[in-house]
Amino acid sequence: MRLSDTIESFIKTMLQEDQPEVELKRNELAEYFHCAPSQINYVLATRFTLDHGYVTSSQRGGGGYIRIVRVRQTSGDHLDYLLRERVGDSLDAQTAQVLCAQLAERKVVSKEAAQLMAAALSPQALSGPVPEAVKDVQRAKIFKCMLLTVMQQRKPADAGNG
């Protein structure tokens, strides 16, 4: 397992269901993992973003800390956020993969459905002699259609639970 994966797992273990927030000292974490503080910054910047369901904040200086908060959203809120705010007119392949994985992690869709979505949005699926910018526009449109379909499928189930 790569160091980044190990650091991510360690932080996620600290963020169990009963504790949606944790404060860490960057230097202490770097010492614990025998790495540079920049490695901790990398993990936070790439694995603990709003797309992944987290908000991070930090205070620098002698008593500095990093605060990581797991954002609690219902699946409907998350879908609405993705549709209205996160996915704009363009979506690159790497971001699409992250968003699909996040849908499965939040149990908005099954792991298998997320894998199918990711495959449909992959560079292989959208290959051809077309500029990357055009592919990214198409990818955003396809992903939004997928999200709308998921939202429509979830409404009858959500109505029965209320």
Side-chain angles (χ1 to χ4, degrees), residues 95-144:
T95 302
Q97 301 299 309
V98 167
L99 295 177
C100 289
Q102 183 63 32
L103 289 171
E105 187 175 311
R106 289 175 173 252
K107 298 187 181 355
V108 176
V109 299
S110 68
K111 182 179 178 182
E112 293 79 11
Q115 289 171 338
L116 285 171
M117 292 170 72
L121 299 168
S122 71
Q124 295 82 5
L126 295 171
S127 65
V130 178
E132 235 11 79
V134 174
K135 292 177 188 178
D136 290 349
V137 169
Q138 285 304 115
R139 187 175 288 111
K141 288 180 181 181
I142 293 167
F143 190 57
K144 285 181 177 182

Side-chain angles (χ1 to χ4, degrees), residues 54-93:
Y54 301 94
V55 174
T56 60
S57 59
S58 63
Q59 178 180 332
R60 298 190 183 268
Y65 63 86
I66 303 162
R67 178 178 290 131
I68 305 167
V69 180
R70 185 184 320 104
V71 178
R72 298 225 183 245
Q73 292 178 318
T74 65
S75 59
D77 288 344
H78 186 64
L79 287 169
D80 194 53
Y81 158 74
L82 289 175
L83 192 60
R84 296 182 192 279
E85 296 178 38
R86 178 61 183 90
V87 180
D89 295 331
S90 178
L91 182 65
D92 65 85

